[in-house]
Amino acid sequence: MTQSRGRPRGFEPEAALDAALSVFWRRGYEGASISELTAVMGLSKPSLYAAFGDKETLYLRSLEHYLEHRIRQHATLLTTEPNARKAIRRFLDAMVDMLTDLELPGGCFIITGAANCGGASTPESVETALRKALQKGELALRHCLRRAQEAGQALPDIEPNHLAAFFNTCLAGLAVHAKSGAPRAKLQAVVEAAMAVWPETKGRPTRRR
């Protein structure tokens, strides 16, 4: 098999995407320059375009890569843990671990990206993709809460859609604080406070009517 035109020998798409993701994660779409991207990816500008398309396409692929390799494993907790309160608590704890992981850029790729949107050079496709990613997170929480309601698990006296929005907003706040360097202990204290709206209950579940 002949080497693809424009790609260096030993080119590994996954490793290149990881490198691009780290830049976009730190700087957002507008703050990431082609020169920095090519440097960390080990590609020339023509090679980058040949392998991934333009900057817009690379960003969208980096977002997909982030969702698949960083978020999916945590979001799975919302569907595999039968107890909804435990599921959300475990999900938030897992996200705090990721947000404060010193080997990662810090904060959340999606929140950082959304915060940096709005400039004239940000493509509509990027803004739309980030908005859908944010909505997808809240939808996953909403589904978790709806399943709990149908199973007769005790929920706080808050409409499930509003409760999902509350936890999603808390998650966004955690990401912002993590990006600014807040310690893990502070973020976990916020999670404790957030979960206080949903006190643990003992005994048999009661079906809501």
Side-chain angles (χ1 to χ4, degrees):
M1 182 181 295
T2 59
Q3 182 180 348
S4 299
R5 185 176 182 272
R7 297 186 185 185
R9 188 179 300 277
F11 172 73
E12 297 182 2
E14 288 291 306
L17 268 180
D18 276 334
L21 173 61
S22 70
V23 176
F24 285 128
W25 195 334
R26 290 195 310 272
R27 305 194 184 283
Y29 179 83
E30 292 193 8
S33 67
I34 291 295
S35 60
E36 183 175 10
L37 288 165
T38 54
V40 300
M41 296 171 75
L43 297 173
S44 66
K45 189 174 180 179
S47 296
L48 185 151
Y49 289 152
F52 296 103
D54 57 13
K55 179 181 174 182
E56 177 181 348
T57 304
L58 178 60
Y59 185 92
L60 294 174
R61 289 190 60 178
S62 296
L63 173 58
E64 292 173 359
H65 190 70
Y66 175 78
L67 291 170
E68 178 65 25
H69 295 278
R70 292 295 177 187
I71 299 300
R72 184 178 180 182
Q73 60 182 320
H74 305 316
T76 299
L77 295 170
L78 296 174
T79 58
T80 56
E81 167 57 56
N83 182 286
R85 188 184 188 281
K86 288 182 180 179
I88 290 176
R89 176 58 193 263
R90 290 178 62 193
F91 171 66
L92 292 176
D93 285 342
M95 288 299 295
V96 166
D97 288 342
M98 187 198 77
L99 294 172
T100 57
D101 188 336
L102 296 179
E103 295 185 359
L104 298 176
C108 171
F109 176 91
I110 299 168
I111 299 300
T112 297
N116 291 333
C117 278
S121 64
T122 302
E124 183 178 349
S125 63
V126 168
E127 294 192 6
T128 299
L130 288 168
R131 185 164 55 249
K132 287 183 177 179
L134 287 171
Q135 293 169 348
K136 186 176 181 180
E138 185 170 326
L139 186 61
L141 288 163
R142 190 181 302 173
H143 285 167
C144 178
L145 291 166
R146 288 296 182 188
R147 286 192 298 272
Q149 188 177 49
E150 292 169 2
Q153 294 181 24
L155 298 176
D157 192 20
I158 304 173
E159 212 286 327
N161 289 350
H162 298 163
L163 188 59
F166 166 74
F167 283 122
N168 202 45
T169 301
C170 286
L171 182 57
L174 290 169
V176 172
H177 280 291
K179 184 71 174 178
S180 66
R184 186 174 183 275
K186 180 178 180 179
L187 301 190
Q188 288 216 299
V190 173
V191 172
E192 289 284 352
M195 295 307 301
V197 306
W198 190 349
E200 289 189 81
T201 58
K202 297 181 180 180
R204 297 177 60 185
T206 56
R207 186 171 297 276
R208 291 167 62 95
R209 297 182 182 275

